[in-house]
Amino acid sequence: MDEVGRPRPLTTSRSALLSEGTDQAFREMIGELIAFSGRLQEIREAIARAMGVTPPQYNIVMTLSQLGDEVTVTDLAERLRVSVPFIVTETRRLEELGLLEKRGDPVDRRRVKLVLTDEAAAALDEIAPVQVRVNDVLFQTLGPRDLKSLSRLTRGLLGSCDAALEEARSAGRAEV
């Protein structure tokens, strides 16, 4: 109910997301996801600062450390869901910091592969104990089955994001 006692319009029509005809539990879950996302971002920002880079640079370094040496600018932009010009700017800064090298692809000279330097590897080794402590605390309530479930659910939610974003954007365009 709103402040005048009228029922609030539902924010979902899926029966699986409704409880006793209301979306209250769904709304609370969305609020908790938003709060978790914000706190997770703050945690990552603190780790980035401890590593001496900006949060976007930290995301790039962490992603490259997971993906290996065959990553192109376009691959990285798609993976991080950001623009190619943004990746070009940030990787240039990482190069200046000595954490990244750009290597031409011998097969396709138009492509550039992004490679972390030994200095980046040393920085990752140095920050790893902090990441371990943070993750151990952050995810202390999860067991092995929870981790698998959360991973599966997160992949599913991320898979729905593009279509949901298009729905949200089309609502804004329809009003114009």
Side-chain angles (χ1 to χ4, degrees), residues 52-78:
V53 296
T54 66
Q57 292 166 349
Y58 176 76
N59 289 340
I60 289 170
V61 169
M62 292 307 298
T63 301
L64 290 174
S65 74
Q66 293 166 358
L67 298 178
D69 292 342
E70 296 299 313
V71 181
T72 66
V73 169
T74 303
D75 295 336
L76 187 59
E78 288 173 3

PDB file of all heavy atoms in Angstrom, residues 52-78:
ATOM      1  N   GLY A  52      46.833   0.401  -6.346  1.00  0.00           N
ATOM      2  CA  GLY A  52      47.391   1.575  -7.015  1.00  0.00           C
ATOM      3  C   GLY A  52      46.804   1.854  -8.379  1.00  0.00           C
ATOM      4  O   GLY A  52      47.436   2.525  -9.202  1.00  0.00           O
ATOM      5  N   VAL A  53      45.593   1.356  -8.632  1.00  0.00           N
ATOM      6  CA  VAL A  53      44.919   1.594  -9.911  1.00  0.00           C
ATOM      7  C   VAL A  53      43.497   2.069  -9.645  1.00  0.00           C
ATOM      8  O   VAL A  53      43.001   2.009  -8.524  1.00  0.00           O
ATOM      9  CB  VAL A  53      44.894   0.319 -10.803  1.00  0.00           C
ATOM     10  CG1 VAL A  53      46.304  -0.093 -11.198  1.00  0.00           C
ATOM     11  CG2 VAL A  53      44.171  -0.825 -10.105  1.00  0.00           C
ATOM     12  N   THR A  54      42.838   2.526 -10.697  1.00  0.00           N
ATOM     13  CA  THR A  54      41.437   2.928 -10.585  1.00  0.00           C
ATOM     14  C   THR A  54      40.556   1.683 -10.655  1.00  0.00           C
ATOM     15  O   THR A  54      41.003   0.632 -11.142  1.00  0.00           O
ATOM     16  CB  THR A  54      41.039   3.874 -11.729  1.00  0.00           C
ATOM     17  OG1 THR A  54      41.099   3.152 -12.970  1.00  0.00           O
ATOM     18  CG2 THR A  54      41.940   5.115 -11.773  1.00  0.00           C
ATOM     19  N   PRO A  55      39.314   1.784 -10.200  1.00  0.00           N
ATOM     20  CA  PRO A  55      38.417   0.625 -10.309  1.00  0.00           C
ATOM     21  C   PRO A  55      38.278   0.071 -11.733  1.00  0.00           C
ATOM     22  O   PRO A  55      38.361  -1.145 -11.923  1.00  0.00           O
ATOM     23  CB  PRO A  55      37.091   1.143  -9.738  1.00  0.00           C
ATOM     24  CG  PRO A  55      37.518   2.155  -8.728  1.00  0.00           C
ATOM     25  CD  PRO A  55      38.702   2.855  -9.372  1.00  0.00           C
ATOM     26  N   PRO A  56      38.103   0.907 -12.759  1.00  0.00           N
ATOM     27  CA  PRO A  56      38.028   0.324 -14.109  1.00  0.00           C
ATOM     28  C   PRO A  56      39.323  -0.395 -14.515  1.00  0.00           C
ATOM     29  O   PRO A  56      39.293  -1.439 -15.158  1.00  0.00           O
ATOM     30  CB  PRO A  56      37.772   1.526 -15.019  1.00  0.00           C
ATOM     31  CG  PRO A  56      37.148   2.554 -14.130  1.00  0.00           C
ATOM     32  CD  PRO A  56      37.785   2.346 -12.784  1.00  0.00           C
ATOM     33  N   GLN A  57      40.465   0.165 -14.114  1.00  0.00           N
ATOM     34  CA  GLN A  57      41.741  -0.484 -14.423  1.00  0.00           C
ATOM     35  C   GLN A  57      41.868  -1.806 -13.685  1.00  0.00           C
ATOM     36  O   GLN A  57      42.359  -2.790 -14.240  1.00  0.00           O
ATOM     37  CB  GLN A  57      42.904   0.453 -14.075  1.00  0.00           C
ATOM     38  CG  GLN A  57      42.970   1.670 -14.971  1.00  0.00           C
ATOM     39  CD  GLN A  57      43.878   2.750 -14.436  1.00  0.00           C
ATOM     40  OE1 GLN A  57      44.329   2.706 -13.286  1.00  0.00           O
ATOM     41  NE2 GLN A  57      44.144   3.752 -15.258  1.00  0.00           N
ATOM     42  N   TYR A  58      41.397  -1.842 -12.455  1.00  0.00           N
ATOM     43  CA  TYR A  58      41.396  -3.083 -11.680  1.00  0.00           C
ATOM     44  C   TYR A  58      40.546  -4.137 -12.390  1.00  0.00           C
ATOM     45  O   TYR A  58      40.964  -5.289 -12.521  1.00  0.00           O
ATOM     46  CB  TYR A  58      40.858  -2.804 -10.268  1.00  0.00           C
ATOM     47  CG  TYR A  58      40.723  -4.033  -9.403  1.00  0.00           C
ATOM     48  CD1 TYR A  58      41.842  -4.625  -8.821  1.00  0.00           C
ATOM     49  CD2 TYR A  58      39.476  -4.597  -9.160  1.00  0.00           C
ATOM     50  CE1 TYR A  58      41.722  -5.746  -8.013  1.00  0.00           C
ATOM     51  CE2 TYR A  58      39.351  -5.725  -8.350  1.00  0.00           C
ATOM     52  CZ  TYR A  58      40.466  -6.299  -7.784  1.00  0.00           C
ATOM     53  OH  TYR A  58      40.342  -7.408  -6.996  1.00  0.00           O
ATOM     54  N   ASN A  59      39.365  -3.744 -12.866  1.00  0.00           N
ATOM     55  CA  ASN A  59      38.508  -4.684 -13.590  1.00  0.00           C
ATOM     56  C   ASN A  59      39.208  -5.221 -14.830  1.00  0.00           C
ATOM     57  O   ASN A  59      39.112  -6.414 -15.136  1.00  0.00           O
ATOM     58  CB  ASN A  59      37.183  -4.020 -13.989  1.00  0.00           C
ATOM     59  CG  ASN A  59      36.275  -3.773 -12.804  1.00  0.00           C
ATOM     60  OD1 ASN A  59      36.429  -4.392 -11.747  1.00  0.00           O
ATOM     61  ND2 ASN A  59      35.337  -2.865 -12.960  1.00  0.00           N
ATOM     62  N   ILE A  60      39.916  -4.360 -15.514  1.00  0.00           N
ATOM     63  CA  ILE A  60      40.637  -4.792 -16.723  1.00  0.00           C
ATOM     64  C   ILE A  60      41.738  -5.776 -16.359  1.00  0.00           C
ATOM     65  O   ILE A  60      41.857  -6.849 -16.967  1.00  0.00           O
ATOM     66  CB  ILE A  60      41.198  -3.566 -17.480  1.00  0.00           C
ATOM     67  CG1 ILE A  60      40.043  -2.793 -18.130  1.00  0.00           C
ATOM     68  CG2 ILE A  60      42.238  -3.993 -18.526  1.00  0.00           C
ATOM     69  CD1 ILE A  60      40.441  -1.436 -18.697  1.00  0.00           C
ATOM     70  N   VAL A  61      42.542  -5.433 -15.369  1.00  0.00           N
ATOM     71  CA  VAL A  61      43.646  -6.311 -14.960  1.00  0.00           C
ATOM     72  C   VAL A  61      43.106  -7.662 -14.488  1.00  0.00           C
ATOM     73  O   VAL A  61      43.630  -8.717 -14.875  1.00  0.00           O
ATOM     74  CB  VAL A  61      44.518  -5.636 -13.876  1.00  0.00           C
ATOM     75  CG1 VAL A  61      45.490  -6.622 -13.252  1.00  0.00           C
ATOM     76  CG2 VAL A  61      45.259  -4.441 -14.460  1.00  0.00           C
ATOM     77  N   MET A  62      42.069  -7.649 -13.661  1.00  0.00           N
ATOM     78  CA  MET A  62      41.502  -8.905 -13.163  1.00  0.00           C
ATOM     79  C   MET A  62      40.929  -9.745 -14.304  1.00  0.00           C
ATOM     80  O   MET A  62      41.113 -10.967 -14.332  1.00  0.00           O
ATOM     81  CB  MET A  62      40.419  -8.621 -12.109  1.00  0.00           C
ATOM     82  CG  MET A  62      40.955  -8.034 -10.823  1.00  0.00           C
ATOM     83  SD  MET A  62      42.287  -8.991 -10.063  1.00  0.00           S
ATOM     84  CE  MET A  62      41.440 -10.524  -9.728  1.00  0.00           C
ATOM     85  N   THR A  63      40.261  -9.104 -15.235  1.00  0.00           N
ATOM     86  CA  THR A  63      39.680  -9.843 -16.358  1.00  0.00           C
ATOM     87  C   THR A  63      40.784 -10.429 -17.229  1.00  0.00           C
ATOM     88  O   THR A  63      40.705 -11.600 -17.626  1.00  0.00           O
ATOM     89  CB  THR A  63      38.749  -8.929 -17.179  1.00  0.00           C
ATOM     90  OG1 THR A  63      37.712  -8.440 -16.311  1.00  0.00           O
ATOM     91  CG2 THR A  63      38.132  -9.669 -18.349  1.00  0.00           C
ATOM     92  N   LEU A  64      41.811  -9.653 -17.515  1.00  0.00           N
ATOM     93  CA  LEU A  64      42.922 -10.173 -18.320  1.00  0.00           C
ATOM     94  C   LEU A  64      43.639 -11.307 -17.597  1.00  0.00           C
ATOM     95  O   LEU A  64      44.067 -12.273 -18.238  1.00  0.00           O
ATOM     96  CB  LEU A  64      43.905  -9.053 -18.663  1.00  0.00           C
ATOM     97  CG  LEU A  64      43.408  -8.015 -19.661  1.00  0.00           C
ATOM     98  CD1 LEU A  64      44.417  -6.884 -19.811  1.00  0.00           C
ATOM     99  CD2 LEU A  64      43.097  -8.657 -21.014  1.00  0.00           C
ATOM    100  N   SER A  65      43.754 -11.215 -16.283  1.00  0.00           N
ATOM    101  CA  SER A  65      44.431 -12.289 -15.548  1.00  0.00           C
ATOM    102  C   SER A  65      43.625 -13.588 -15.622  1.00  0.00           C
ATOM    103  O   SER A  65      44.198 -14.676 -15.575  1.00  0.00           O
ATOM    104  CB  SER A  65      44.681 -11.882 -14.099  1.00  0.00           C
ATOM    105  OG  SER A  65      43.493 -11.903 -13.340  1.00  0.00           O
ATOM    106  N   GLN A  66      42.316 -13.475 -15.761  1.00  0.00           N
ATOM    107  CA  GLN A  66      41.465 -14.662 -15.875  1.00  0.00           C
ATOM    108  C   GLN A  66      41.451 -15.213 -17.295  1.00  0.00           C
ATOM    109  O   GLN A  66      41.392 -16.427 -17.485  1.00  0.00           O
ATOM    110  CB  GLN A  66      40.031 -14.331 -15.458  1.00  0.00           C
ATOM    111  CG  GLN A  66      39.886 -13.995 -14.007  1.00  0.00           C
ATOM    112  CD  GLN A  66      38.538 -13.356 -13.689  1.00  0.00           C
ATOM    113  OE1 GLN A  66      37.725 -13.125 -14.560  1.00  0.00           O
ATOM    114  NE2 GLN A  66      38.317 -13.084 -12.421  1.00  0.00           N
ATOM    115  N   LEU A  67      41.493 -14.329 -18.285  1.00  0.00           N
ATOM    116  CA  LEU A  67      41.324 -14.761 -19.673  1.00  0.00           C
ATOM    117  C   LEU A  67      42.617 -15.151 -20.371  1.00  0.00           C
ATOM    118  O   LEU A  67      42.581 -15.858 -21.367  1.00  0.00           O
ATOM    119  CB  LEU A  67      40.621 -13.658 -20.482  1.00  0.00           C
ATOM    120  CG  LEU A  67      39.216 -13.296 -20.016  1.00  0.00           C
ATOM    121  CD1 LEU A  67      38.660 -12.155 -20.878  1.00  0.00           C
ATOM    122  CD2 LEU A  67      38.294 -14.497 -20.072  1.00  0.00           C
ATOM    123  N   GLY A  68      43.743 -14.648 -19.922  1.00  0.00           N
ATOM    124  CA  GLY A  68      45.007 -15.012 -20.553  1.00  0.00           C
ATOM    125  C   GLY A  68      45.437 -14.030 -21.629  1.00  0.00           C
ATOM    126  O   GLY A  68      44.942 -12.915 -21.709  1.00  0.00           O
ATOM    127  N   ASP A  69      46.359 -14.473 -22.480  1.00  0.00           N
ATOM    128  CA  ASP A  69      47.040 -13.579 -23.418  1.00  0.00           C
ATOM    129  C   ASP A  69      46.391 -13.434 -24.791  1.00  0.00           C
ATOM    130  O   ASP A  69      46.925 -12.758 -25.638  1.00  0.00           O
ATOM    131  CB  ASP A  69      48.483 -14.067 -23.633  1.00  0.00           C
ATOM    132  CG  ASP A  69      49.324 -13.910 -22.385  1.00  0.00           C
ATOM    133  OD1 ASP A  69      48.920 -13.148 -21.494  1.00  0.00           O
ATOM    134  OD2 ASP A  69      50.389 -14.538 -22.319  1.00  0.00           O
ATOM    135  N   GLU A  70      45.284 -14.058 -25.032  1.00  0.00           N
ATOM    136  CA  GLU A  70      44.692 -13.990 -26.357  1.00  0.00           C
ATOM    137  C   GLU A  70      43.538 -12.991 -26.439  1.00  0.00           C
ATOM    138  O   GLU A  70      42.660 -13.099 -27.255  1.00  0.00           O
ATOM    139  CB  GLU A  70      44.180 -15.376 -26.770  1.00  0.00           C
ATOM    140  CG  GLU A  70      45.285 -16.411 -26.916  1.00  0.00           C
ATOM    141  CD  GLU A  70      46.302 -16.028 -27.980  1.00  0.00           C
ATOM    142  OE1 GLU A  70      45.883 -15.627 -29.080  1.00  0.00           O
ATOM    143  OE2 GLU A  70      47.514 -16.135 -27.699  1.00  0.00           O
ATOM    144  N   VAL A  71      43.548 -11.997 -25.560  1.00  0.00           N
ATOM    145  CA  VAL A  71      42.428 -11.068 -25.463  1.00  0.00           C
ATOM    146  C   VAL A  71      42.700  -9.824 -26.305  1.00  0.00           C
ATOM    147  O   VAL A  71      43.754  -9.200 -26.194  1.00  0.00           O
ATOM    148  CB  VAL A  71      42.188 -10.670 -23.989  1.00  0.00           C
ATOM    149  CG1 VAL A  71      41.011  -9.736 -23.861  1.00  0.00           C
ATOM    150  CG2 VAL A  71      41.986 -11.913 -23.143  1.00  0.00           C
ATOM    151  N   THR A  72      41.716  -9.467 -27.111  1.00  0.00           N
ATOM    152  CA  THR A  72      41.818  -8.243 -27.912  1.00  0.00           C
ATOM    153  C   THR A  72      41.036  -7.132 -27.215  1.00  0.00           C
ATOM    154  O   THR A  72      40.260  -7.376 -26.288  1.00  0.00           O
ATOM    155  CB  THR A  72      41.240  -8.442 -29.319  1.00  0.00           C
ATOM    156  OG1 THR A  72      39.827  -8.662 -29.217  1.00  0.00           O
ATOM    157  CG2 THR A  72      41.911  -9.609 -30.042  1.00  0.00           C
ATOM    158  N   VAL A  73      41.240  -5.916 -27.694  1.00  0.00           N
ATOM    159  CA  VAL A  73      40.518  -4.766 -27.162  1.00  0.00           C
ATOM    160  C   VAL A  73      39.012  -4.996 -27.283  1.00  0.00           C
ATOM    161  O   VAL A  73      38.251  -4.772 -26.338  1.00  0.00           O
ATOM    162  CB  VAL A  73      40.946  -3.474 -27.894  1.00  0.00           C
ATOM    163  CG1 VAL A  73      40.040  -2.312 -27.549  1.00  0.00           C
ATOM    164  CG2 VAL A  73      42.400  -3.146 -27.568  1.00  0.00           C
ATOM    165  N   THR A  74      38.571  -5.469 -28.430  1.00  0.00           N
ATOM    166  CA  THR A  74      37.147  -5.714 -28.659  1.00  0.00           C
ATOM    167  C   THR A  74      36.620  -6.805 -27.733  1.00  0.00           C
ATOM    168  O   THR A  74      35.534  -6.662 -27.158  1.00  0.00           O
ATOM    169  CB  THR A  74      36.893  -6.096 -30.136  1.00  0.00           C
ATOM    170  OG1 THR A  74      37.387  -5.034 -30.963  1.00  0.00           O
ATOM    171  CG2 THR A  74      35.425  -6.308 -30.412  1.00  0.00           C
ATOM    172  N   ASP A  75      37.382  -7.890 -27.596  1.00  0.00           N
ATOM    173  CA  ASP A  75      36.975  -8.979 -26.687  1.00  0.00           C
ATOM    174  C   ASP A  75      36.778  -8.439 -25.263  1.00  0.00           C
ATOM    175  O   ASP A  75      35.801  -8.764 -24.596  1.00  0.00           O
ATOM    176  CB  ASP A  75      38.034 -10.083 -26.621  1.00  0.00           C
ATOM    177  CG  ASP A  75      38.228 -10.815 -27.934  1.00  0.00           C
ATOM    178  OD1 ASP A  75      37.299 -10.829 -28.757  1.00  0.00           O
ATOM    179  OD2 ASP A  75      39.332 -11.384 -28.116  1.00  0.00           O
ATOM    180  N   LEU A  76      37.735  -7.633 -24.822  1.00  0.00           N
ATOM    181  CA  LEU A  76      37.687  -7.098 -23.467  1.00  0.00           C
ATOM    182  C   LEU A  76      36.499  -6.150 -23.293  1.00  0.00           C
ATOM    183  O   LEU A  76      35.794  -6.211 -22.283  1.00  0.00           O
ATOM    184  CB  LEU A  76      39.002  -6.394 -23.131  1.00  0.00           C
ATOM    185  CG  LEU A  76      39.167  -5.924 -21.704  1.00  0.00           C
ATOM    186  CD1 LEU A  76      39.073  -7.082 -20.708  1.00  0.00           C
ATOM    187  CD2 LEU A  76      40.500  -5.198 -21.551  1.00  0.00           C
ATOM    188  N   ALA A  77      36.257  -5.301 -24.278  1.00  0.00           N
ATOM    189  CA  ALA A  77      35.124  -4.371 -24.210  1.00  0.00           C
ATOM    190  C   ALA A  77      33.809  -5.145 -24.110  1.00  0.00           C
ATOM    191  O   ALA A  77      32.943  -4.803 -23.295  1.00  0.00           O
ATOM    192  CB  ALA A  77      35.116  -3.455 -25.432  1.00  0.00           C
ATOM    193  N   GLU A  78      33.677  -6.188 -24.905  1.00  0.00           N
ATOM    194  CA  GLU A  78      32.459  -7.000 -24.855  1.00  0.00           C
ATOM    195  C   GLU A  78      32.318  -7.694 -23.514  1.00  0.00           C
ATOM    196  O   GLU A  78      31.241  -7.731 -22.924  1.00  0.00           O
ATOM    197  CB  GLU A  78      32.459  -8.029 -25.989  1.00  0.00           C
ATOM    198  CG  GLU A  78      32.230  -7.415 -27.346  1.00  0.00           C
ATOM    199  CD  GLU A  78      32.393  -8.401 -28.484  1.00  0.00           C
ATOM    200  OE1 GLU A  78      32.642  -9.615 -28.238  1.00  0.00           O
ATOM    201  OE2 GLU A  78      32.295  -7.967 -29.647  1.00  0.00           O
TER     202      GLU A  78
END
